[in-house]
């Protein structure tokens, strides 16, 4: 049986300006399939190779797969659907499979707008895809589709979702096949070296309102540090990787495991050959302030902090559980440990103004991170914050849900003005860094790394790919009123998906009513018990100190 995976060619001028990122998903799926006995597996990276639809069509036609799988985050969903539409024509015998976070939660939307998709894999793919491929190979597809957990598909006019599959419990049993990737093409521009994105843990115990990762992975699981370092050592020795970024939402959650991971890297002398970066929370950095120099010794050189907002009001709205003053202190702690720190700011909510954008700039400059990034708030349609703000959402063109396009229009600003304010922040921050900081401060390695980051920004700026400025027609403040984001306003939420949202909202409302009713009932019962309670000796019930009233709360 011949299997083909395709990574969609989608670019937005966001994270990809730092280099070409290896699509780790295909390595993890391929590894699981090889363990199950599948050996005729092919991969086309349309994004890294910048392939046109015609070139992808030619590849599909030449390979003639029995099954073709594509993944998609929200902004790449239309590209993924197009690939499977091409497959319908060029390989009509192939089962067309779509996975990823968007299809997992928006399967009714996807199957409504792209009925040529045969099946959607919902959730973690390794075990579900393997079971699905075995059914296809054995000729049990589509007869057994109702028996396989974690799928969604059309049965006539009906959209069906089977029971959710359990999360992968044995992460050590997953052996990614990194050899399927073209490693010479995955380069991290700041260090001009090959880059990998391995996985140490899955899930996140926090529930930030703008994030969906905790919903996708469902529970938090961490791998054994030795096994993770085995994988990294293989990437370094056999694939020439010189830099990696842990794919985890927050790899420092389990401090014991993270410390073991760092020690294992040191014991194998890997920091001399490979450096690495992570995303994490401000609170973890503050917690681990005595360990930061040890982390640096283990090769950790870059930390991206989810500072998210300059104003505490925004932090509270995002359910970040951090304070503004903690952000500043965490950045200083990292810089003191000679770890590059990148501060992330989310802008573009309803209450954004020129003054609040200016506030984020002033605070970024006061905090002095090595790098700063202003990301447009993107209302993922499967997050709690979207449910709160959905009445304000006007754009359902998911190809623009990419952190660089202002989906939301602030009440006091036009979208072009918002983009202009963000670009003003970038210009001021990096111009001052380039002139007065990067070339003159720190060790030779620090200068080389930061100048490499500056090179990535400048390269994307001159090519007009940064923040998709070329496509939007932004050339500076003089063009802010003429910016065109080319929203496809014909895109709307499918009726089936809307009904699903409304049902979910009804369930949430009923659950809230039940919780409130139970609390009220328990309060009434407690009052009854208090009034009917008598001391064994018949004495009057007294509060602490002998009075009849409890102390009032301060």
């Amino acid at each position: 049986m011949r299997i083909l995976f395709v990574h969609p060619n989608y670019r937005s001028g966001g994270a990809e300006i730092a280099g070409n990122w290896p699509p780790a998903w295909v390595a993890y799926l391929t590894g699981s399939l090889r363990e199950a006995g599948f050996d005729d597996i092919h991969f086309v990276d349309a994004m890294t190779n910048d392939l046109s639809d015609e070139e992808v069509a030619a590849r599909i036609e030449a390979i003639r797969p029995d099954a073709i799988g594509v993944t998609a985050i929200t902004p790449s969903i239309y590209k993924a659907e197009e690939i499977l539409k091409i497959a319908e024509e060029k390989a009509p015998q192939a089962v067309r499979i779509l996975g990823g976070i968007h299809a997992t939660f928006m399967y009714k939307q996807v199957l409504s707008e792209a009925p040529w998709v045969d099946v959607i894999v919902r959730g973690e793919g390794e075990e579900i895809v393997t079971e699905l491929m075995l059914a296809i190979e054995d000729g049990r597809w589509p007869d057994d589709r109702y028996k396989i957990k974690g799928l969604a598909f059309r049965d006539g006019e009906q959209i069906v979702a089977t029971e959710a599959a359990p999360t992968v419990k044995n992460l050590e049993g997953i052996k990614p096949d990194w050899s399927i990737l073209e490693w010479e093409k995955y380069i991290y521009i700041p260090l001009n070296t090959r880059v990998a994105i391995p996985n140490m843990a899955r899930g996140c115990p926090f529930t930030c309102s703008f994030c969906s990762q905790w919903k996708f992975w469902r529970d938090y699981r961490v791998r054994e540090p030795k096994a993770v370092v085995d994988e990294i050592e293989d990437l370094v020795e056999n694939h020439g990787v010189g830099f990696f970024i842990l794919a985890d939402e927050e790899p420092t959650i389990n401090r014991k495991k993270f410390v073991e991971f760092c020690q294992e890297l040191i014991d194998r002398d890997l920091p001399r050959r490979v450096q690495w970066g992570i995303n994490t929370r401000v609170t973890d950095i503050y917690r681990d302030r005595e360990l930061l120099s040890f982390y640096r010794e283990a090769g950790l050189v870059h930390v991206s902090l989810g500072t998210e907002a300059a104003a505490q009001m925004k932090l509270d709205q995002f359910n970040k559980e951090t304070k503004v003053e903690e952000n500043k202190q965490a950045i200083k702690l990292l810089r003191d440990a000679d770890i590059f720190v990148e501060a992330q700011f989310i802008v573009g909510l309803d209450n954004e103004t020129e003054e609040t954008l200016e506030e984020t700039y002033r605070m970024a400059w006061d905090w002095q991170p090595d790098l700063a990034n202003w990301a447009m708030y993107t209302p993922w349609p499967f997050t709690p914050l979207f449910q709160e703000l959905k009445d304000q959402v006007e754009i359902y063109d998911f190809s623009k849900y990419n952190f660089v396009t202002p989906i939301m229009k602030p009440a006091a600003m036009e979208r072009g003005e918002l983009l202009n304010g963000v670009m003003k922040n970038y210009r001021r921050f990096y111009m001052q860094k380039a002139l007065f900081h990067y070339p003159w401060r720190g060790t030779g390695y620090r200068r080389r790394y930061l100048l490499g980051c500056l090179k990535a920004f400048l390269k994307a700026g001159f090519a007009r790919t940064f923040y998709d400025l070329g496509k939007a027609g932004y050339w500076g403040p003089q063009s802010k009123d003429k910016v065109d984001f080319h929203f496809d306003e014909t895109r709307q939420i499918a009726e089936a998906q809307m009904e699903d949202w409304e049902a979910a909202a009804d369930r949430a409302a009923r659950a809230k009513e039940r919780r409130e009713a139970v609390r009220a009932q328990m309060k009434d019962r407690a009052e009854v018990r208090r009034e009917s309670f008598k001391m064994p000796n018949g004495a009057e019930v007294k509060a602490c100190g002998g009075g009849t009233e409890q102390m009032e709360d301060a």
Side-chain angles (χ1 to χ4, degrees):
M1 176 175 165
R2 182 168 296 167
I3 300 168
L4 170 63
F5 291 119
V6 182
H7 192 69
N9 185 9
Y10 177 85
R11 297 169 183 270
S12 65
E16 70 266 18
I17 71 168
N20 290 322
W21 305 102
W25 67 272
V26 72
Y28 284 98
L29 291 183
T30 300
S32 292
L33 288 169
R34 291 201 191 283
E35 289 288 314
F38 294 94
D39 55 12
D40 193 358
I41 305 174
H42 303 257
F43 176 52
V44 174
D45 189 345
M47 180 177 177
T48 298
N49 293 296
D50 196 22
L51 300 181
S52 65
D53 288 347
E54 291 74 21
E55 290 170 310
V56 170
R59 298 280 188 94
I60 293 173
E61 192 170 28
I63 294 170
R64 297 189 60 78
D66 298 296
I68 176 169
V70 186
T71 192
I73 56 175
T74 293
S76 65
I77 186 63
Y78 303 143
K79 286 291 187 180
E81 291 172 357
E82 287 172 14
I83 289 170
L84 295 182
K85 182 65 174 175
I86 292 169
E88 182 183 40
E89 177 186 351
K90 299 299 181 180
Q93 77 287 351
V95 178
R96 298 177 291 277
I97 307 163
L98 180 61
I101 191 166
H102 184 89
T104 291
F105 294 115
M106 301 284 286
Y107 64 90
K108 291 187 176 181
Q109 174 77 25
V110 173
L111 292 171
S112 295
E113 68 191 9
W116 55 85
V117 175
D118 289 322
V119 60
I120 286 172
V121 172
R122 298 185 298 120
E124 292 175 271
E126 289 90 353
E127 294 178 350
I128 303 171
V129 166
T130 299
E131 188 173 354
L132 173 60
M133 294 299 183
L134 287 170
I136 295 171
E137 182 182 47
D138 296 343
R140 294 183 286 109
W141 178 266
D143 293 344
D144 278 6
R145 56 185 174 170
Y146 279 87
K147 300 177 183 179
I148 302 174
K149 294 180 179 180
L151 300 183
F153 48 83
R154 293 183 71 100
D155 189 350
E157 295 301 311
Q158 183 182 11
I159 294 175
V160 177
T162 63
E163 179 184 349
T167 56
V168 178
K169 303 305 181 186
N170 180 23
L171 294 182
E172 306 313 322
I174 298 175
K175 307 293 183 184
D177 177 15
W178 295 111
S179 66
I180 199 165
L181 301 177
E182 302 173 89
W183 282 103
E184 70 280 2
K185 296 182 179 179
Y186 304 111
I187 302 298
Y188 185 57
I189 292 175
L191 291 175
N192 192 32
T193 189
R194 294 184 185 183
V195 61
I197 311 179
N199 183 262
M200 181 174 174
R202 292 185 177 181
C204 181
F206 298 101
T207 57
C208 295
S209 63
F210 60 87
C211 182
S212 58
Q213 291 298 314
W214 57 274
K215 293 180 66 179
F216 181 81
W217 301 109
R218 291 187 284 170
D219 55 2
Y220 176 71
R221 293 145 288 147
V222 61
R223 298 170 60 191
E224 284 303 315
K226 184 180 182 301
V228 182
V229 178
D230 286 343
E231 191 174 313
I232 290 167
E233 193 167 36
D234 171 59
L235 288 166
V236 172
E237 293 184 348
N238 298 318
H239 303 293
V241 168
F243 188 82
F244 69 86
I245 297 175
L246 287 176
D248 309 27
E249 293 303 302
E250 186 186 354
T252 52
I253 293 175
N254 189 322
R255 178 163 61 175
K256 181 177 181 292
K257 293 286 189 183
F258 191 72
V259 168
E260 290 176 11
F261 170 73
C262 291
Q263 188 62 58
E264 190 73 26
L265 289 169
I266 292 170
D267 291 345
R268 301 194 201 185
D269 195 30
L270 280 168
R272 182 176 54 84
R273 294 179 286 168
V274 63
Q275 283 75 51
W276 49 289
I278 62 171
N279 299 284
T280 195
R281 289 168 62 93
V282 165
T283 49
D284 285 11
I285 297 301
Y286 199 76
R287 178 200 69 192
D288 294 353
R289 53 191 177 276
E290 302 299 329
L291 290 169
L292 295 180
S293 59
F294 168 69
Y295 295 164
R296 179 65 179 84
E297 182 187 356
L300 176 62
V301 298
H302 189 135
V303 171
S304 179
L305 280 181
T307 52
E308 312 302 2
Q312 186 62 47
M313 178 181 66
K314 287 185 182 179
L315 289 175
D316 295 340
Q317 185 174 15
F318 292 148
N319 197 23
K320 285 297 294 183
E321 303 175 16
T322 59
K323 302 296 182 184
V324 168
E325 59 269 19
E326 293 173 350
N327 293 337
K328 181 176 182 178
Q329 181 64 18
I331 289 170
K332 183 179 186 303
L333 288 169
L334 286 166
R335 295 195 68 219
D336 289 346
D338 196 30
I339 296 173
F340 307 112
V341 56
E342 178 179 359
Q344 302 280 353
F345 296 95
I346 292 179
V347 297
L349 271 77
D350 181 65
N351 59 351
E352 200 73 73
T353 63
E354 291 185 10
E355 290 74 24
T356 58
L357 286 173
E358 178 66 22
E359 180 186 6
T360 64
Y361 170 74
R362 290 198 307 267
M363 199 159 286
W365 194 252
D366 175 54
W367 293 353
Q368 278 299 301
D370 297 293
L371 302 159
N373 181 43
W374 284 268
M376 299 290 184
Y377 167 63
T378 300
W380 301 127
F382 29 78
T383 60
L385 191 55
F386 181 90
Q387 295 301 318
E388 295 176 22
L389 302 177
K390 64 181 180 181
D391 290 341
Q392 303 170 31
V393 178
E394 304 169 333
I395 304 299
Y396 293 103
D397 179 356
F398 292 131
S399 69
K400 303 298 183 180
Y401 280 49
N402 50 25
F403 291 116
V404 305
T405 305
I407 298 300
M408 306 291 289
K409 192 191 87 63
M413 303 180 76
E414 296 299 323
R415 289 185 175 86
E417 294 174 319
L418 173 59
L419 178 64
N420 182 62
V422 169
M423 290 302 111
K424 180 182 177 182
N425 285 357
Y426 273 113
R427 283 193 298 268
R428 290 182 293 174
F429 185 87
Y430 284 100
M431 184 174 295
Q432 292 193 71
K433 286 287 188 179
L435 293 175
F436 305 114
H437 288 239
Y438 293 167
W440 320 111
R441 300 189 179 189
T443 63
Y445 179 83
R446 170 169 281 273
R447 285 196 298 273
R448 180 165 69 92
Y449 188 92
L450 292 173
L451 289 173
C453 292
L454 183 63
K455 175 185 176 182
F457 272 108
L458 292 175
K459 180 179 179 182
F462 284 123
R464 309 288 296 149
T465 56
F466 180 65
Y467 258 61
D468 247 357
L469 297 181
K471 293 180 183 177
Y474 177 84
W475 293 92
Q478 73 279 4
S479 62
K480 65 182 180 181
D481 297 328
K482 303 175 183 177
V483 172
D484 185 354
F485 297 105
H486 304 287
F487 294 125
D488 183 350
E489 297 183 4
T490 66
R491 298 281 185 178
Q492 295 296 321
I493 298 299
E495 183 177 344
Q497 189 67 57
M498 185 65 75
E499 291 173 354
D500 193 45
W501 280 353
E502 291 171 352
D506 288 341
R507 289 193 297 272
R510 288 196 298 269
K512 182 179 179 181
E513 290 174 1
R514 286 195 297 270
R515 289 194 300 270
E516 291 175 349
V518 169
R519 279 197 294 267
Q521 188 178 48
M522 292 176 67
K523 184 177 179 181
D524 291 342
R525 288 178 178 175
E527 184 67 20
V528 170
R529 287 195 300 270
R530 185 187 68 78
E531 292 177 352
S532 61
F533 180 77
K534 300 293 183 182
M535 294 291 285
N537 60 1
E540 184 181 358
V541 178
K542 298 283 187 178
C544 295
T548 58
E549 297 292 334
Q550 294 284 0
M551 289 182 64
E552 294 182 358
D553 293 335

